[in-house]
Amino acid sequence: MNVLNAIGEAVLASAAAVSIYAYAVDAIPSPFNALLLGSGAGAVGAMSFALESGHRRSKGGDGEGALPGVPAANRKGPKRSRTKAQEKERLLVAYDREFSRLLSRRGPETRLESLERLKPILYELSPDLRAWTGEVRMRAYLLMNEIARDLDDPACVQASLGLLLLILSRGGRSAGEMAKPIFREKIQAMYADPKHEGERFLPRLLLMLDDYDLTRVEMLTKEAIHSWADGRFAASRDYLGLEEIEARGTKKRLRDMLGGEIAKAGVSGDRTALDRAVELYHAVK
């Protein structure tokens, strides 16, 4: 509950800060402006942001690439940590610049370019994503909302799913809790749609958004054995992340279930189900 409260506070803070900027310069298109401005924290956040913005403008502004509503990295600190701090600041500036470009680009090709350029930057920031620091947490929330918009665009869907997978795998449960209300329903619908059978990350994203709940894992694993088209199984079998269940203490139960599926497929003579069950059994390390 503490984690959820902390995330909620961070979301409200980021929403309030961004809302006033978005309202002023129309940086985020409708309906996001209305949603952000609708927060109860909007008025307080708007006032504090306006005061802070005025103070910064009097000193020359944020500089190119700064992300509205996200505080600049702290430039002070011990000498021994200055190099690390400078590298982090460099990455944050590069990330913010690219994210600002993403907000301003409407064509699928240009948005795809920005999504692809964000991926290596976000990967380098992954230690902070795992620590779920305030600076990175706000950026992750804003990026997830942009990714959600691009899931309906065939040109951007693969890059968007890859970025979402990176955020969830590097951000841990805190990232999953934030992502679930944004993505779960959409990812479930995409998983059920035959036109997305070639998207290799969709099944794993379903499992991650449910935090590898064993019931969900067993259900999806049986679907993989008995229902998936050959193309989907070939695309997704190596990306399910079934090794993740070991840390949750459910490895034996899943292996027992897969052992039962192997036995049933052998008795019925279902060669495809047998081969798939054996392959997944070995994937549960």
Side-chain angles (χ1 to χ4, degrees), residues 155-175:
C156 298
V157 63
Q158 190 173 38
S160 298
L161 291 174
L163 266 176
L164 178 58
L165 180 67
L166 178 60
I167 292 171
L168 294 181
S169 60
R170 298 289 170 172
R173 289 185 176 180
S174 295

Side-chain angles (χ1 to χ4, degrees), residues 255-265:
R255 286 176 71 93
D256 288 345
M257 185 275 288
L258 286 168
E261 293 298 319
I262 292 171
K264 285 189 289 185

Side-chain angles (χ1 to χ4, degrees), residues 25-200:
V25 302
D26 198 26
I28 301 177
S30 178
F32 289 103
N33 264 333
L35 290 172
L36 290 173
L37 285 166
S39 167
V44 176
M47 182 175 293
S48 62
F49 181 79
L51 290 172
E52 179 63 20
S53 296
H55 177 66
R56 284 200 301 268
R57 280 196 296 269
S58 69
K59 300 174 103 177
D62 285 325
E64 183 183 357
L67 182 64
V70 178
N74 188 1
R75 300 174 189 273
K76 297 179 182 180
K79 277 191 174 181
R80 65 175 180 275
S81 63
R82 188 168 297 164
T83 300
K84 184 177 179 180
Q86 287 174 345
E87 175 60 14
K88 178 182 174 181
E89 184 173 350
R90 181 191 68 79
L91 288 169
L92 290 175
V93 169
Y95 178 94
D96 292 349
R97 183 182 296 114
E98 202 54 56
F99 187 82
S100 295
R101 289 172 180 162
L102 179 68
L103 289 178
S104 66
R105 294 178 177 186
R106 295 292 172 258
E109 291 184 3
T110 54
R111 284 184 69 83
L112 177 60
E113 291 170 1
S114 287
L115 289 169
E116 292 290 357
R117 280 196 287 264
L118 279 168
K119 193 179 299 182
I121 302 172
L122 193 63
Y123 186 85
E124 288 191 71
L125 285 169
S126 61
D128 294 283
L129 195 59
R130 172 65 66 177
W132 210 236
T133 62
E135 291 177 336
V136 177
R137 181 168 61 236
M138 286 188 286
R139 286 169 170 87
Y141 173 74
L142 295 172
L143 178 58
M144 282 193 280
N145 278 285
E146 283 301 305
I147 292 172
R149 295 178 56 204
D150 286 324
L151 290 180
D152 292 317
D153 189 336
C156 298
V157 63
Q158 190 173 38
S160 298
L161 291 174
L163 266 176
L164 178 58
L165 180 67
L166 178 60
I167 292 171
L168 294 181
S169 60
R170 298 289 170 172
R173 289 185 176 180
S174 295
E177 289 169 353
M178 183 180 282
K180 190 170 182 176
I182 301 173
F183 291 103
R184 194 189 181 288
E185 186 176 332
K186 180 65 176 178
I187 296 296
Q188 178 67 58
M190 292 175 70
Y191 173 76
D193 190 338
K195 75 179 181 181
H196 292 299
E197 284 184 350
E199 296 296 343
R200 58 185 176 175

